[in-house]
Amino acid sequence: MQRLRIVGAALAGITLLGAATACGSDEKAGSEEKVVVDVTVEDGAITPKGDRVEVSTGQPIDLVVTSDVAGSLHMHSDPEQEFAYEVGTTTIPISIDRPGVIEVESHDPPQIIVQLEVR
């Protein structure tokens, strides 16, 4: 009888260990959720105005630009990148593979829109 109890306890421990490992995997997968940054260009003004957003290296990011004029965003990354947007809503998918602070800005009007703090 004791042997069965020990085996039963061991099996229960293995089951709990498996459940804990599964939870750890789920948490890691959840950390890679897409980050959405909403950008509005209206009557010559842009929002947000320099907000800092924390992201992980390689994490998918969507810059969703809703604008009343066509224009472009400039990203100070390595290499630097420029993204055009049209009147209406444009989604610009990006990801950054190096830690640091990456500024996304407009040249017309000149303004830092968002700072992506990549960890």
Side-chain angles (χ1 to χ4, degrees), residues 16 19 21 32 46 54-55 60-62 76 103 118:
L16 287 175
T21 302
E32 294 302 318
I46 301 177
E54 291 184 15
V55 297
I61 305 162
D62 276 354
H76 289 273
E103 293 179 340
V118 185

Side-chain angles (χ1 to χ4, degrees), residues 46 63 65 71-85 92 94 102-109 111-116:
I46 301 177
L63 301 174
V65 182
S72 65
L73 302 178
H74 182 85
M75 188 166 79
H76 289 273
S77 59
D78 186 18
E80 292 190 9
Q81 300 177 57
E82 190 163 333
F83 307 103
Y85 58 86
I92 303 165
I94 62 171
I102 306 296
E103 293 179 340
V104 178
E105 68 177 12
S106 167
H107 288 255
D108 185 27
Q111 171 187 321
I112 295 173
I113 297 167
V114 67
Q115 298 175 4
L116 301 169

Side-chain angles (χ1 to χ4, degrees), residues 14-96:
I14 291 169
T15 302
L16 287 175
L17 180 60
T21 302
C23 289
S25 298
D26 290 344
E27 287 173 15
K28 186 175 180 183
S31 69
E32 294 302 318
E33 280 185 25
K34 184 179 294 184
V35 172
V36 176
V37 178
D38 291 307
V39 178
T40 303
V41 181
E42 186 174 27
D43 296 329
I46 301 177
T47 55
K49 297 184 183 304
D51 293 357
R52 188 167 281 211
V53 176
E54 291 184 15
V55 297
S56 299
T57 55
Q59 185 170 17
I61 305 162
D62 276 354
L63 301 174
V64 180
V65 182
T66 304
S67 180
D68 59 1
V69 296
S72 65
L73 302 178
H74 182 85
M75 188 166 79
H76 289 273
S77 59
D78 186 18
E80 292 190 9
Q81 300 177 57
E82 190 163 333
F83 307 103
Y85 58 86
E86 301 297 324
V87 173
T89 301
T90 305
T91 300
I92 303 165
I94 62 171
S95 76
I96 303 164

